[in-house]
Amino acid sequence: MNILGTYRPGGSPLHRMPAVAKVGLLLAWAIVAMVFSDPITASGMALAAIALLVSVLPAPKPTIKGMVFIFVVAALAGAYQVYRGEYDSAIDIGADLIGLFAVSLAVTSSTPMSEMLDLATAAARPFRRIIPPAIPGLMFAIMLRAIPEVATIMRQSRDAARARGVNHSTRALLIPTATRTVGFALDLGAALHARG
């Protein structure tokens, strides 16, 4: 199953960069997006971010769905700014949302999970007196493992609701998803406890 932002091997320049440089690029992008608040810069950065995302060849179907969602969010945020009469802010905010989302997808799609976990562990080393460095890496790994699992549970709950003929019922989707997700979390906790 293809998940939004899943790593895909490739030979793009972003694939060849180390994980720390990619995270640095993402942080620098966010800072520039916050500092420069004009629509021309924001629009140019959004287009560059989309080109960067396309260059890493992410999984097409989930990426298109994710980008459509962020375009809708950006349009709603922009519409609110237009309602307030701030037309430049509408373009700036919408373009910044799209650009940051696209860059973050490009980073996750071009970075193996092992590199991300190593980076999380290395980032925690200065705080080793407070928390062991392996803990943030483990938490990060668990979070990334849980996302596709919850997506699978939600898909199975939706399929079961359709089979019962109640596919438009929010309760028929959310209650089984919530209970099975709690069950998954309890099983995961028990497995971690058993391994010390």
Side-chain angles (χ1 to χ4, degrees), residues 94-106:
D96 284 346
L97 283 170
I98 292 165
L100 285 169
F101 186 77
V103 170
S104 62
L105 271 184

Side-chain angles (χ1 to χ4, degrees), residues 9-194:
S12 74
L14 201 60
H15 277 91
R16 293 191 294 270
M17 285 174 68
V20 67
K22 293 177 198 179
V23 172
L25 169 72
L26 183 58
L27 287 173
W29 201 287
I31 290 167
V32 170
M34 286 188 297
V35 170
F36 294 99
S37 59
D38 67 287
I40 295 171
T41 304
S43 299
M45 288 179 65
L47 290 174
I50 291 169
L52 184 66
L53 177 59
V54 170
S55 76
V56 300
L57 301 173
K61 191 174 178 181
T63 302
I64 289 168
K65 282 183 179 179
M67 289 304 293
V68 167
F69 174 76
I70 204 66
F71 269 96
V72 169
V73 171
L76 292 172
Y80 176 70
Q81 295 300 319
V82 168
Y83 170 74
R84 293 178 56 193
E86 298 176 6
Y87 302 103
D88 285 353
S89 291
I91 296 169
D92 177 51
I93 290 171
D96 284 346
L97 283 170
I98 292 165
L100 285 169
F101 186 77
V103 170
S104 62
L105 271 184
V107 167
T108 56
S109 298
S110 63
T111 311
M113 194 52 52
S114 58
E115 287 184 28
M116 291 294 237
L117 294 176
D118 291 345
L119 181 61
T121 303
R125 280 197 191 107
F127 309 102
R128 63 181 164 270
R129 292 186 189 276
I130 302 167
I131 186 168
I135 299 293
L138 177 63
M139 289 168 52
F140 190 64
I142 289 170
M143 179 193 71
L144 292 173
R145 173 64 185 98
I147 291 169
E149 185 67 29
V150 173
T152 300
I153 289 170
M154 185 172 261
R155 192 186 72 242
Q156 290 171 346
S157 298
R158 188 175 54 234
D159 292 345
R162 281 186 189 145
R164 292 192 315 269
V166 288
N167 54 334
H168 295 297
S169 171
T170 306
R171 255 190 328 204
L173 173 66
L174 293 182
I175 291 173
T177 300
T179 53
R180 289 187 59 204
T181 301
V182 169
F184 167 72
L186 291 172
D187 291 345
L188 184 61
L192 287 170
H193 182 70

